[in-house]
């Protein structure tokens, strides 16, 4: 995905399982971020919304466009950012 | 060729087994995870699996490809179920065939261990005697950045 | 209860799998040995298994009982085939269910390793390009005297 | 099995696979042994028959009445003694 080099970027945030229930049940939400915002910036913004959002873990596993990604990953317009609670498959 | 899927459809272990095997393979290893009727002494009525479907599908295919590389076999089939499962239903099934047994066992084991570490799937246990709850899981370790 | 057999009848992996499992078991491990179409580069047309039937039956039951004791599960099924087998036919199948995966895998692995060390069975490989021959095996280690 | 305390004992010897072919194909053979003969005595007697018999291994795995048994095991009337070539199941 090519980054736009000016203005804010919109990313889609996905929440699952216990995280989803914490904020009231919506799986997808669109968030506008400043240019060159990182995953950590996004997490801080979400927590700052208050209510259930403030209970999201300070450091969570995150996937950007369906791959696990670090907190310093820079986000681009249209990225799909998923907060991944501790997994329990099998 | 290896095969993997993440699905809401019931898993048929025989059909998963039937996906592996070829005349040069002398060993077939298989593993299935099944919903139990109790957990730490509490009676369980069923399990609800939620997944980040699209990513889980990619991640499972990646795990299978890693196992195939290590074991030197492309005869691997792995499937994970999502949705509401009753006690006794199969939640995950893995079949591997290989020339010899050590590789077949190792690949099956690798896949189930990695599923438990990395597959973006969560489970909510339903009890006979109290409210359902999400089970604690493992925090996936980041495996390189998005471009990796 | 565990089940084992040594037989000339074809083995159906699905039927062996169906012998294990109960509502408290979350894991099923399975292993099958299959006749390969080659051995060390030589094209193989089939395999002939000879057994000391009566003792093989007792010995297999003993191996299964040992595995059951170690794994803490009685849900084990193991069967070994005798007679002439074509390429692709199943020579041995082992299924184990247990509460958790580590025990299920360990028991299945223990049983196949002990079969190869101790079961009084011999195999004569038939080739496409030359005379059949008995394969080299492992000398069983004596496990106590007859009264033990 | 109770031992008779006088005279020779008859045991049934079973041969399998390569051993069986070495001596011409019979699976069972009855052998008379002196009282208190051991598995090792039996093996030496069999080898002394000459021909294919002399090629039987000097030390072989042996089962007495369907259990693995040591060379110093004393044999009794009616015992079933099987010479076990290296096994190759699975």
């Amino acid at each position: 995905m090519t980054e736009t080099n000016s203005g804010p970027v919109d990313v889609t945030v996905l929440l699952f399982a216990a995280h989803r229930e914490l904020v009231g049940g919506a799986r997808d939400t669109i968030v506008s971020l400043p240019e060159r915002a990182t995953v950590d910036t996004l997490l801080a913004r979400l927590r700052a919304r208050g209510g259930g959002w403030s209970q999201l873990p300070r450091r969570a596993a995150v996937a950007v466009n369906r791959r696990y990604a670090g907190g310093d990953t820079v986000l681009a317009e249209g990225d799909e950012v998923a907060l991944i609670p501790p997994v329990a498959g099998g | 060729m290896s095969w993997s899927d993440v699905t809401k459809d019931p898993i048929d272990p025989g059909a998963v087994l039937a996906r592996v095997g070829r005349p040069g393979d002398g060993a077939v290893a298989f593993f299935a995870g099944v919903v139990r009727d109790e957990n730490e002494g509490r009676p369980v009525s069923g399990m609800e699996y939620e997944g980040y479907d699209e990513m889980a599908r990619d991640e499972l295919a990646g795990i299978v490809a890693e196992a195939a590389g290590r074991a030197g076999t492309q005869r691997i089939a792995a499937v994970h179920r999502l949705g509401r499962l009753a006690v006794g239903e199969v939640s995950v099934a893995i079949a591997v065939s290989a020339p010899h047994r050590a590789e077949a066992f190792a690949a099956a084991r690798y896949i189930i261990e990695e599923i438990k570490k990395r597959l973006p799937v969560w489970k909510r246990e339903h009890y006979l005697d109290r409210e359902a709850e999400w089970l604690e899981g493992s925090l996936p370790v980041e495996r390189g950045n998005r471009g990796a």
Side-chain angles (χ1 to χ4, degrees), chain B residues 54-91:
Chain B
E54 308 86 338
M55 179 178 169
R57 217 161 268 131
D58 289 353
E59 195 71 14
L60 185 55
I63 291 169
V64 166
E66 289 163 20
R70 287 158 167 252
T73 173
Q74 294 295 322
R75 279 81 60 201
I76 299 182
V79 55
H80 199 296
R81 176 103 183 261
L82 297 179
R84 178 73 189 259
L85 276 70
V87 168
E89 282 196 271
V90 174
S91 56

Side-chain angles (χ1 to χ4, degrees), chain B residues 84-103:
Chain B
R84 178 73 189 259
L85 276 70
V87 168
E89 282 196 271
V90 174
S91 56
V92 59
I94 298 158
V96 180
S97 76
H100 303 288
R101 67 190 182 284
E103 304 96 84

Side-chain angles (χ1 to χ4, degrees), chain B residues 104-122:
Chain B
F105 271 110
R109 191 72 193 263
Y110 178 81
I111 292 168
I112 184 63
E113 299 303 329
E114 292 300 308
I115 282 173
K116 290 190 173 267
K117 281 185 214 159
R118 296 156 54 182
L119 205 70
V121 168
W122 302 276

Side-chain angles (χ1 to χ4, degrees), chain A residues 9-83:
Chain A
V9 295
D10 285 357
V11 301
T12 304
V13 173
L14 304 186
L15 298 177
F16 297 96
H19 289 174
R20 189 171 36 73
E21 293 184 347
L22 212 52
V23 303
R27 177 181 144 152
D28 300 21
T29 172
I30 305 277
V31 177
S32 263
L33 296 170
E35 201 186 337
R36 303 205 56 78
T38 64
V39 162
D40 284 339
T41 318
L42 170 64
L43 291 180
R45 289 258 176 140
L46 293 176
R47 289 175 48 80
R49 290 179 169 193
W53 292 97
S54 64
Q55 292 169 57
L56 287 174
R58 214 167 279 275
R59 292 194 59 78
V62 170
V64 176
N65 299 329
R66 305 174 187 174
R67 301 184 68 130
Y68 289 110
D72 56 359
T73 303
V74 175
L75 298 173
E77 177 68 24
D79 277 354
E80 179 176 295
V81 185
L83 268 62

Side-chain angles (χ1 to χ4, degrees), chain B:
Chain B
M1 277 305 298
S2 296
W3 171 86
S4 64
D5 199 14
V6 174
T7 175
K8 296 209 161 170
D9 298 331
I11 294 172
D12 172 2
V16 177
L17 264 175
R19 288 183 176 271
V20 304
R22 65 154 194 197
D25 286 345
V28 180
F30 173 84
F31 175 80
V34 181
V35 177
R36 305 173 64 205
D37 67 355
E38 64 96 24
N39 190 5
E40 292 170 6
R42 289 197 213 129
V44 168
S45 61
M47 193 77 87
E48 188 186 330
Y49 285 86
E50 176 174 338
Y52 178 7
D53 306 37
E54 308 86 338
M55 179 178 169
R57 217 161 268 131
D58 289 353
E59 195 71 14
L60 185 55
I63 291 169
V64 166
E66 289 163 20
R70 287 158 167 252
T73 173
Q74 294 295 322
R75 279 81 60 201
I76 299 182
V79 55
H80 199 296
R81 176 103 183 261
L82 297 179
R84 178 73 189 259
L85 276 70
V87 168
E89 282 196 271
V90 174
S91 56
V92 59
I94 298 158
V96 180
S97 76
H100 303 288
R101 67 190 182 284
E103 304 96 84
F105 271 110
R109 191 72 193 263
Y110 178 81
I111 292 168
I112 184 63
E113 299 303 329
E114 292 300 308
I115 282 173
K116 290 190 173 267
K117 281 185 214 159
R118 296 156 54 182
L119 205 70
V121 168
W122 302 276
K123 56 190 170 198
R124 189 181 173 96
E125 203 160 57
H126 290 255
Y127 306 101
L128 289 174
D129 58 355
R130 42 184 240 130
E131 232 190 314
E133 63 184 47
W134 293 103
L135 293 190
E136 275 195 43
S138 339
L139 198 64
V141 176
E142 184 212 332
R143 301 172 79 84
N145 282 336
R146 56 203 285 216

